[in-house]
Amino acid sequence: MTERWNRDQVLALAPDASSQKAAQGVSSPGKWSGAGATADALWGECRGSGSKPYLACVDLSEPAYRCSCPSRKFPCKHALGLLLLWSAGGVPDAAEPADWAAEWLDRRRDRAARTAVRASAPAGGDDAGGGEAVTGGGAAGGEAGAGRAGGAAVAAGPGPADARRAAQRERRVAAGLAELERWLADQVRQGLATSRRHDQWDDLAKRLVDAQAPAVAGAVSRLGAVLTGDDWPARLLGEYALLHLLAVAHRRLTPAAGPADPAIGSADATVGSVDPAVGPAGTAVGSADAGGGLDAALLRTVRERVGFPVAKEEVLAGEPVRDRWDVLGRRDTEHDRITARRVWLRGRSTGRAALVLSFAPAGQALDASLVTGTTLDADLAFYPGSCPLRALVAARHDHAPGVSAGPPPGSTVDGALDEVARALAADPWTDSWPVVLDAVVPAGSGLRALTGPDGALALHPACGTPWRLIAASGGHPLTVAAEWTPEGLRPLTAWDEEGRVIVL
C-alpha cells in the first residue's frame, strides 16, 4: 500500500509556482466526481470550463500522470489537484479503477513488462531481478514518468569515420584548452582589476564551444556570477585555479591527443587510435594506470568535466548498486533556456550519495518520478569517475516506492564535512554534494546557519532567512537534508521529531 503523501510532497511535484497555485484551486471535493483510489492508483473527473470533465489519473507506483486536458505541463494542475485531495483524505478507496483509468494503467503495465524483458535479456547478461527498467526520462505526450527502454547492451564499436571524428575532436579540445591556459596566465599576470567587466568572458566561451569543450565553456560563461560580494577577487581567483587545474589535467592525462597548437605540427599525433567513448589510445578505462601515473577513473572525471559525453548504454552496462534510496530533495536551475533538475538520493545501507539529473527546454516537462521524502528499492547505475555521483535509475524492485521509511540516517556536522572533503579530494571540481544533518537547529546571525552539538554550517546567501525551516524547528532539533556548495548549504527537506516530511 502506497503511503499517502503530505501536502508539501505533492506541491513539490509541481513544475512551477503557477501550477502550485492552480492546483490548489481545483483541490476541493466539489470540483471532483467519480474519484477513487487503490493501492497504487488515483483517478477522478474534474469539472472544467467545457461541457465534459477532464479525466485525470495518477499511477502512484512510479509515479506517472495522465489527464485529458490540453496542458503541456506534467503533472498538470488537475493531476496535482487530485493528489492534494488524496493527501487530505478526500478520495475514497475503491476495489478497482474506473474503466478508462484501468485501460491506461494496463497499457503502462504491458509497456513496462516488455521493457523489463528487453533489459533483462542482453547477450550474455543476467536477469535484472524482475524490476521495472527506467531511465528517469522526462514526459512525452499526455503521460509523464513512464519507463523508457534502456537495454544494457553496448552498441557496436566505432568505425573508421567515427575514429576520425573523435580524433578531430581530441585535437580541437586540446587546442581550446591550451588557449585557455594561456588566457588564464595572462589574467593572473595582468591582475584582476579589469575583471569587473561582465562581457570579458563571452568571446572565450564561444571559442571553447567551437573547440567542442562545452562543459568548460559553460563554466567560463558563468564566471560573471562570481563578481557579486566583497570577496569576489578571492572567489574569481579560485575559479581560475580550478579551470587551470582542469586544463593541465587534461593535457597531462591525454598525451596521445596530439599537439595542442596546430603550428607545432601533427607528425607525432596518434590520432587514428582514439576511442570516442573512452579517450585516446593507451588510456582505456579499467587499466591500472592511465597517463601521468594517475588512474583511469580520474581521466574519466576530467573528460566529463571538459564535456565529453558518456553514453547512457555504457552507464547502464556497469555494475548497478541496489539499495533503499531516500529521495532527499530536488532543485531546478535554468541556464540558456534549458532547465536542469537535480534530484538527490542517499542509500540507507551503503550510505552512498547519488544525483539524478534531467533536462528540458524552458517550459517543458521534467522528470517527476522521484517524490521527495519517499524511499525506493532500486538499482542505480553510476556514471564512471573518480568520485561517482551522477546516476541513472536502472531498475525498481518494488511497486510501491511512495512509501516513506522515516528520516534518512544523518550525521554530525563534522561527519558531513569529512564526507565533503573526501569527495573534493577525489574530484576537485565538485561544486555540490548532498548531506544529511542529524539534530540541528537554525541558529547564528539571522538564523542563517544549521547548528549541531559539534559545530555549525552556514547557509547559502541566496537562501536568506529560512523562515519555513525556523517554523518547522520551533527551537527543536531536526533532521535536515541539504545541498552543500562552496558558498554554503541549500536546505532541501527536513524531518521533524515525528518523522513528518517538510519540503523547504
Side-chain angles (χ1 to χ4, degrees), residues 177 180-181 184 216 237-253 294 298 302 305-306 424-430:
L177 294 183
L180 175 62
E181 284 192 65
L184 289 169
V216 183
L237 193 60
E239 295 296 328
Y240 281 174
L242 287 173
L243 286 170
H244 181 262
L245 180 64
L246 182 60
V248 171
H250 181 270
R251 170 164 53 81
R252 292 182 178 178
L253 287 170
L294 298 178
L298 180 58
V302 169
R305 296 294 184 180
V306 168
L424 288 171
D427 180 358
W429 303 280
T430 298

Side-chain angles (χ1 to χ4, degrees), residues 52 70 76 86 99 174 196 261 295 354 365 384 414 427 484 501 504:
K52 294 184 178 179
C76 69
W86 172 64
D99 291 343
R196 299 301 303 258
D261 192 337
D295 60 23
D414 283 344
D427 180 358
W484 171 89
V501 179
L504 304 173

Side-chain angles (χ1 to χ4, degrees), residues 192-201 227-229 232-233 236:
L192 303 180
T194 61
S195 298
R196 299 301 303 258
R197 289 179 24 239
H198 287 259
D199 61 345
Q200 71 159 338
W201 300 289
L227 300 181
T228 59
W232 70 266
L236 182 60

Side-chain angles (χ1 to χ4, degrees), residues 94-431:
E96 296 291 337
D99 291 343
W100 58 269
E103 182 180 352
W104 175 68
L105 293 167
D106 289 342
R107 288 201 306 269
R108 283 184 46 75
R109 306 289 188 268
D110 291 343
R111 183 165 56 249
R114 291 195 300 270
T115 299
V117 169
R118 288 195 297 268
S120 62
D126 297 328
D127 193 289
E132 180 180 347
V134 297
T135 62
E143 178 180 329
R148 302 287 190 264
V154 178
D162 296 320
R164 284 194 297 272
R165 284 192 293 270
Q168 184 183 50
R169 179 174 187 178
E170 295 287 345
R171 290 194 296 270
R172 287 176 175 172
V173 169
L177 294 183
E179 180 185 0
L180 175 62
E181 284 192 65
R182 292 191 293 269
W183 185 89
L184 289 169
D186 289 342
Q187 298 303 304
V188 174
R189 187 181 304 110
Q190 296 168 7
L192 303 180
T194 61
S195 298
R196 299 301 303 258
R197 289 179 24 239
H198 287 259
D199 61 345
Q200 71 159 338
W201 300 289
D202 293 347
D203 290 341
L204 177 61
K206 292 175 182 177
R207 292 195 296 274
L208 287 167
V209 170
D210 293 339
Q212 295 182 277
V216 183
V220 170
S221 68
R222 292 190 293 270
L223 287 174
V226 178
L227 300 181
T228 59
D230 295 336
D231 61 341
W232 70 266
R235 292 173 55 199
L236 182 60
L237 193 60
E239 295 296 328
Y240 281 174
L242 287 173
L243 286 170
H244 181 262
L245 180 64
L246 182 60
V248 171
H250 181 270
R251 170 164 53 81
R252 292 182 178 178
L253 287 170
T254 56
D261 192 337
I264 298 176
S266 57
D268 63 343
T270 56
V271 297
S273 57
V274 175
D275 184 341
V278 176
T283 58
V285 168
S287 62
D289 195 42
L294 298 178
D295 60 23
L298 180 58
L299 171 63
R300 298 302 297 261
T301 295
V302 169
R303 290 177 67 81
E304 181 182 357
R305 296 294 184 180
V306 168
F308 287 94
V310 180
K312 184 179 294 185
E313 292 77 13
E314 181 184 353
V315 177
L316 292 172
E319 185 69 25
V321 179
R322 181 173 180 176
D323 204 339
R324 291 187 60 80
W325 299 93
D326 288 306
V327 184
L328 302 180
R330 77 183 194 194
R331 187 164 67 90
D332 294 350
T333 56
E334 186 175 334
H335 183 69
D336 291 338
R337 297 189 58 78
I338 297 295
T339 302
R341 171 163 294 170
R342 306 160 72 90
V343 182
W344 297 103
L345 299 91
R346 184 175 290 275
R348 285 197 167 243
S349 299
T350 62
R352 289 192 64 166
L355 169 64
V356 177
L357 283 175
S358 58
F359 302 90
Q364 297 296 312
L366 284 158
D367 174 39
S369 62
L370 298 173
V371 180
T372 298
T374 61
T375 306
L376 65 153
D377 180 5
D379 290 340
L380 293 193
F382 284 83
Y383 282 71
S386 56
C387 185
L389 179 64
R390 186 183 175 188
L392 299 174
V393 182
R396 292 179 171 176
H397 298 284
D398 55 19
H399 294 283
V403 173
S404 173
S411 67
T412 63
V413 170
D414 283 344
L417 289 175
D418 287 343
E419 181 182 355
V420 171
R422 289 192 296 269
L424 288 171
D427 180 358
W429 303 280
T430 298
D431 59 1

